[in-house]
């Protein structure tokens, strides 16, 4: 089954304790991205990656890191989480522009609900 | 700059009524895609439909229909004979390159 998976789905942590949220897709997509969703603010892009070893900042990158060492994985790293990073996080992927039939459709993972105390 | 506006923050209708969700967008790109996503109470984001900027043909899929009008920069979504299971937050989105811009969503309540 074609899908984007995220782990963990739920996480409660404390300020300053480094954490990683994993994201993996099995659709051979070139493009991957991370978003956070907050009430009243909608979905905002954190980071995206056009391909392996290529990452770019989205609209709200502060406090986050990403890496893209393999095509299928795009982990989100919070080096020193703070309470304002409490949010619902989504990973997404889509086929890249170099692929035969780019559709520009992003497929989302199930979400990770993070609480930072 | 690209922008997506969903003016309706929250809508409540009684089951079996028709309901239209509005979406207005702004872009300077000549080639772009428009999307609708559904987010049910369980929280996942479900892709519903995609339209590219060259395809103004409106579509009906079961109880869902979409009306794309470039002249008014609108991409509205209608549910006919609504059901309780349609209760969700619906997001309109726009892409034109590397980024996707989401509207803030419309929360739809279908009352039994």
């Amino acid at each position: 089954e074609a899908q984007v998976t995220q782990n963990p789905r739920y996480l409660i942590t404390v300020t300053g304790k480094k954490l990683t949220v994993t994201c993996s897709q099995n659709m051979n997509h070139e493009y991957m991205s991370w978003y956070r969703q907050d009430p009243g603010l909608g979905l905002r892009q954190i980071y995206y990656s056009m391909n392996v070893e290529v990452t770019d900042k989205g609209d709200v990158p502060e406090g986050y890191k990403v890496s893209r060492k393999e095509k299928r994985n795009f982990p989100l790293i919070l080096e020193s989480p703070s309470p304002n990073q409490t949010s619902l996080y989504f990973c997404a992927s889509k086929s890249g522009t170099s692929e035969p039939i780019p559709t520009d459709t992003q497929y989302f993972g199930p979400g990770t609900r993070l609480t930072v105390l | 700059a690209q922008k997506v506006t969903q003016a309706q923050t929250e809508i409540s209708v009684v089951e079996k009524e028709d309901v239209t969700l509005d979406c207005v967008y702004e872009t300077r790109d000549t080639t772009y895609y428009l999307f609708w996503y559904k987010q049910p109470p369980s929280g996942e984001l479900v892709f519903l439909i995609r339209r590219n900027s060259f395809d103004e043909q409106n579509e009906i899929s079961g109880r869902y229909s979409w009306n794309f009008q470039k002249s008014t920069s609108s991409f509205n979504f209608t549910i006919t004979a609504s059901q309780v299971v349609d209760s969700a937050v619906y997001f309109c989105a726009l892409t034109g390159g590397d980024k996707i811009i989401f509207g803030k969503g419309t929360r739809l309540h279908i009352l039994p």
Side-chain angles (χ1 to χ4, degrees), chain A residues 103-104, chain B residues 2-4 24-35 50-56 68-75 93-97 99:
Chain A
T103 65
D104 229 36
Chain B
Q2 294 180 317
K3 186 178 179 182
V4 175
V24 174
Y25 63 93
E26 295 176 26
T27 182
R28 292 181 181 171
D29 294 337
T30 54
T31 301
Y32 52 90
Y33 288 89
L34 292 161
F35 302 84
R50 173 189 68 248
R51 270 288 173 271
N52 70 45
S53 50
F54 298 108
D55 180 8
E56 287 193 73
F68 174 32
Q69 293 193 339
K70 277 179 85 169
S71 60
T72 55
S73 296
S74 65
F75 185 45
L94 164 72
T95 63
K99 295 191 173 186

Side-chain angles (χ1 to χ4, degrees), chain A:
Chain A
E1 180 190 354
Q3 60 182 352
V4 179
T5 56
Q6 295 178 227
N7 281 292
R9 295 287 313 280
Y10 302 90
L11 180 60
I12 300 175
T13 189
V14 295
T15 299
K17 186 176 181 182
K18 181 180 178 180
L19 67 92
T20 298
V21 184
T22 64
C23 173
S24 183
Q25 51 93 6
N26 63 2
M27 295 170 277
N28 202 37
H29 284 166
E30 290 184 350
Y31 180 102
M32 297 185 74
S33 184
W34 276 101
Y35 301 86
R36 60 178 289 174
Q37 183 180 17
D38 302 288
L41 298 176
L43 282 128
R44 294 178 294 169
Q45 190 174 44
I46 303 171
Y47 269 96
Y48 63 97
S49 169
M50 299 289 285
N51 214 326
V52 176
E53 302 292 0
V54 179
T55 62
D56 280 293
K57 295 178 181 179
D59 297 315
V60 288
E62 293 78 22
Y64 304 95
K65 285 176 59 176
V66 293
S67 68
R68 188 89 182 274
K69 293 184 170 53
E70 306 165 282
K71 198 172 186 179
R72 64 182 293 129
N73 296 323
F74 190 44
L76 179 70
I77 303 157
L78 285 73
E79 294 270 3
S80 183
S82 62
N84 65 12
Q85 292 178 299
T86 292
S87 187
L88 177 59
Y89 291 86
F90 287 99
C91 180
S93 71
K94 70 173 182 176
S95 57
T97 54
S98 64
E99 297 177 24
I101 309 177
T103 65
D104 229 36
T105 302
Q106 295 202 27
Y107 295 94
F108 287 82
T112 295
R113 191 168 293 280
L114 173 65
T115 301
V116 183
L117 302 174

Side-chain angles (χ1 to χ4, degrees), chain B residues 33-87:
Chain B
Y33 288 89
L34 292 161
F35 302 84
W36 277 97
Y37 285 86
K38 174 182 178 180
Q39 187 174 40
S42 51
E44 71 271 25
L45 279 163
V46 179
F47 164 68
L48 294 178
I49 191 171
R50 173 189 68 248
R51 270 288 173 271
N52 70 45
S53 50
F54 298 108
D55 180 8
E56 287 193 73
Q57 182 178 352
N58 295 316
E59 179 173 332
I60 297 174
S61 175
R63 295 185 299 106
Y64 298 162
S65 62
W66 291 269
N67 186 334
F68 174 32
Q69 293 193 339
K70 277 179 85 169
S71 60
T72 55
S73 296
S74 65
F75 185 45
N76 298 336
F77 169 44
T78 297
I79 302 175
T80 303
S82 60
Q83 300 176 1
V84 173
V85 293
D86 296 326
S87 296

Side-chain angles (χ1 to χ4, degrees), chain B residues 13-25:
Chain B
V13 300
V14 177
E15 195 174 19
K16 297 183 184 175
E17 288 185 355
D18 299 348
V19 57
T20 295
L21 308 183
D22 299 331
C23 174
V24 174
Y25 63 93

